[in-house]
Amino acid sequence: MAHPQQLLPNLTFLDLRPPVTDAAREVAASLSAPSPSLDPKYFYDQRGSALFDAITRTPEYYPTRTEAALLTEHADAMAAQLPGELVIAEPGAGGCDKARLLLDRWRPSGYMPLEISRECLLDATRALAPRHPSVHFTAVCADYSQALSFPADDQGRPRLVFFPGSTIGNFEPVARADFLAGLRRLAGDDGFLLIGADLQKDPGRLNAAYNDAEGHTAAFNRNALHHLNRRLDCGFEPDAFEHLAFYNETAQRIEMHLECLRDQTVSVAGRRIALPTGTRIHTESSYKFTVEGFSRELVEAGFAPLSSWVDDEELFSIHLARAA
Ligand code: AVI
């Protein structure tokens, strides 16, 4: 176990030193598969995170603001179903933006963001901890798999695992079931889960949300190629790819692709990979749920659903569950 560092009176930092993945081999394998794809994690370098922020402020992208409104409106009703002493654990916390509201409203005993980006984690918690002196912050630098097996030992206080944003929708179904089971392990036997899930709706509304008029989603999609060029010197021509995002009603997911507009060859991990005109690289799936279907998935993962909240337009849902 890593040695904890006391950074501020109420901020402890634990570095689990997430293993460095072999991005070049991973990218070469996924690009040369019969249906080429890229892992959505490649969207998120510094520019990608800024572009995602810009997406969340577009009029078309409703999930972030709808979820924030639901959290604001129902924070007291949620707290009423939870024990008074609580530690909030947030895997993939990023800049800890969404937890701020819960820290303000609930004043939990502890907050434990688990985040792979050391810089992001330290910047966010160093800024936030002094504003919440009664909350003990434990900042854990970890990847998802380390985060999910992080022991539930918060001096006897129950854990609430917080997983907002409908990030759960970016997992393929089998991986999603595994991940939800991991959230159950992280919560522990007396723990809870608060999770956001985007809802199925009129495809027109969904297609607009992933094709914003200002082009931030298109730039975010192409940024995966800029990122890989910088990091692995692949030689993609990002401007020679078209952003495609559409709702696949059969699979109940938004699919994002990058379609090659002219023949090109990229080099990754010592391999030359041809991308002829018309090649589609699948860059992201974003699954959409029903309240009933998502509740069933929670039960299958070992949770007992307590309540769910949906906005008036039935765009987005938040689910509170306890460990079963
Ligand atoms: C992070 N995730 C929940 C976003 C989504 O809606 O699936 C990522 C995103 N991709 C395009 N726009 C937003």
Side-chain angles (χ1 to χ4, degrees):
M1 171 62 84
H3 186 65
Q5 285 170 260
Q6 199 64 39
L7 301 182
L8 294 170
N10 67 331
L11 171 59
T12 309
F13 174 54
L14 209 55
D15 193 347
L16 301 188
R17 298 185 190 283
V20 181
T21 51
D22 188 343
R25 282 184 50 184
E26 190 180 279
V27 168
S30 68
L31 273 187
S32 45
S35 304
S37 65
L38 283 174
D39 192 304
K41 71 184 175 194
Y42 295 113
F43 291 140
Y44 298 97
D45 60 356
Q46 212 181 358
R47 179 159 181 268
S49 299
L51 284 166
F52 180 65
D53 257 21
I55 291 172
T56 64
R57 287 191 293 270
T58 62
E60 297 93 337
Y61 193 78
Y62 59 83
T64 312
R65 77 176 70 89
T66 310
E67 184 181 54
L70 283 171
L71 284 172
T72 307
E73 186 179 346
H74 302 292
D76 293 343
M78 292 169 187
Q81 299 186 59
L82 295 167
E85 293 235 317
L86 195 70
V87 173
I88 299 176
E90 185 181 2
C96 307
D97 293 326
K98 297 192 172 124
R100 277 164 215 239
L101 185 122
L102 300 183
L103 298 179
D104 286 337
R105 295 281 293 272
W106 293 358
R107 299 184 189 285
S109 314
Y111 173 53
M112 186 172 74
L114 302 114
E115 168 58 42
I116 193 166
S117 162
R118 198 170 287 113
E119 201 187 343
C120 191
L121 177 70
L122 289 173
D123 285 354
T125 49
R126 278 198 171 108
L128 210 51
R131 282 188 238 143
H132 299 274
S134 66
V135 181
H136 190 89
F137 282 65
T138 309
V140 185
C141 182
D143 68 13
Y144 271 149
S145 92
Q146 293 171 316
L148 299 185
S149 50
F150 197 71
D153 174 22
D154 304 311
Q155 281 131 33
R157 285 176 303 229
R159 245 184 213 177
L160 171 98
V161 173
F162 182 45
F163 199 63
S166 201
T167 301
I168 195 65
N170 296 131
F171 290 81
E172 294 299 328
V174 172
R176 183 164 79 229
D178 286 351
F179 191 80
L180 286 171
L183 295 181
R184 169 64 184 78
R185 282 197 303 283
L186 179 64
D189 289 343
D190 55 356
F192 297 84
L193 173 68
L194 184 64
I195 185 165
D198 195 12
L199 294 176
Q200 292 167 20
K201 59 184 65 65
D202 164 36
R205 185 88 192 236
L206 285 166
N207 289 330
Y210 291 81
N211 290 283
D212 65 280
E214 288 161 85
H216 293 305
T217 311
F220 174 73
N221 199 3
R222 283 193 198 96
N223 186 58
L225 306 181
H226 286 291
H227 177 195
L228 289 173
N229 279 349
R230 272 193 299 275
R231 193 158 148 191
L232 303 174
D233 197 17
C234 301
F236 286 106
E237 293 176 56
D239 293 338
F241 283 87
E242 186 180 356
H243 161 73
L244 293 178
F246 53 85
Y247 189 56
N248 174 337
E249 286 198 52
T250 314
Q252 297 163 343
R253 66 186 193 197
I254 283 280
E255 291 181 17
M256 292 218 307
H257 299 261
L258 287 165
E259 184 170 311
C260 204
L261 299 176
R262 57 175 178 263
D263 295 355
Q264 50 192 288
T265 302
V266 294
S267 52
V268 198
R271 287 169 64 180
R272 310 264 304 151
I273 301 168
L275 300 171
T277 306
T279 305
R280 278 191 185 181
I281 305 174
H282 186 176
T283 48
E284 187 180 58
S285 295
S286 189
Y287 284 83
K288 307 301 168 189
F289 305 93
T290 61
V291 169
E292 299 70 29
F294 194 71
S295 300
R296 270 197 302 277
E297 294 193 29
L298 292 179
V299 170
E300 279 157 23
F303 289 103
L306 292 173
S307 295
S308 53
W309 292 271
V310 171
D311 57 291
D312 292 345
E313 287 186 89
E314 301 188 3
L315 297 175
F316 199 90
S317 62
I318 297 183
H319 300 249
L320 180 64
R322 63 169 173 76

